[in-house]
Amino acid sequence: MDNTEVTAASGNSIKSGVIVWTPAMTNTMLGFLADLVAKGKRTSSGFREAHHRQCAAVLNEQFKLAVTAEQVRNHLKKWRKIWGRVVILKNLSGALWDEDTCTIRLAEEHYAGHCMAHKADAPYLNTPIEHYHAMATIFGTTAASGINARSGNDLLSIEVEDEENGEVNTSPNVAESSHPKGPPKKKAKVVKVLEDPLVTTLNYGFKLVADALVKSGDDDDIPAELWDEVCKLGEFDEEHLAHYYAHLVDNPKIAKAFMTLSQTNKSVWVSRYVKKNF
């Protein structure tokens, strides 16, 4: 949820109350922006303000709302953060990438331990990643063409907008005038250089190990409702459920992760265990 409100049927940036983004709205927004990238209309510095207004207009026409350009820009920032998390998780040790379903897969024990330490990562592991292809096009591919083009994987690639007319100045000498007597051009916004992706991944891995060591002393507790949850899976034989329950008791981390799953995914885990052991 973004802290701005749809106020008028246009793409203008008008701050106000609250807007709730539905999956359909997000899909339309990311699809529109991904199409701009595919057509080479995005500059090397990011989307122009005009692109945000165009996207807002498409959303307003389709959903009969009044989304603003600012709301589009803010929602895009949210998905850029999600993409950054996905990139890091794809590089986890032991992670496998399923191209067919856009899923980062971890072994059961690895998944349980990781999610215990990093609950916020659970929506992006062992389940298809929402809007993956659109995010890959927008944030993970070449963002522009020509001598000023940069890769979308370049962490320096950000959105820079002219606050008055929505244009982006991509000249290498932004702060200098082309004529000694002409009016000075606006200075470029300062770009903060981020860490190398490899360094970020290594630091993240070290943090996982440290967190796991800190939490290792209190991982032996078995959830009180574990047997009740196992018994709800009536499609399996009672003997198989009893064996799986014993497996969970022997592996408290897996047991705790099991309790966080939906009913469908719990069935998947039990089914995999039964096929492997019976």
Side-chain angles (χ1 to χ4, degrees), residues 22-24 26-27 30 78-79 82 86 101-102 123-124 127-135:
T22 66
T26 295
N27 186 62
L30 293 177
K78 167 193 170 181
W79 286 95
I82 291 175
V86 168
T101 61
C102 300
Y124 313 116
T127 188
I129 297 173
E130 199 176 21
H131 308 302
Y132 177 84
H133 290 299
M135 287 193 293

Side-chain angles (χ1 to χ4, degrees), residues 117-130:
H118 304 276
K119 294 181 181 179
D121 289 344
Y124 313 116
L125 296 171
N126 288 2
T127 188
I129 297 173
E130 199 176 21

Side-chain angles (χ1 to χ4, degrees), residues 166-219:
E167 295 299 318
V168 179
N169 191 339
T170 57
S171 170
N173 297 315
V174 178
E176 298 178 10
S177 171
S178 59
H179 191 282
K181 295 183 179 180
K185 293 184 179 180
K186 293 185 177 181
K187 293 183 179 180
K189 294 184 179 179
V190 176
V191 178
K192 182 179 180 180
V193 179
L194 301 181
E195 273 191 343
D196 183 279
L198 178 59
V199 174
T200 300
T201 301
L202 290 174
N203 288 338
Y204 185 71
F206 295 147
K207 186 176 186 300
L208 290 183
V209 174
D211 289 345
L213 291 174
V214 171
K215 292 178 177 293
S216 60
D218 58 359
D219 284 343

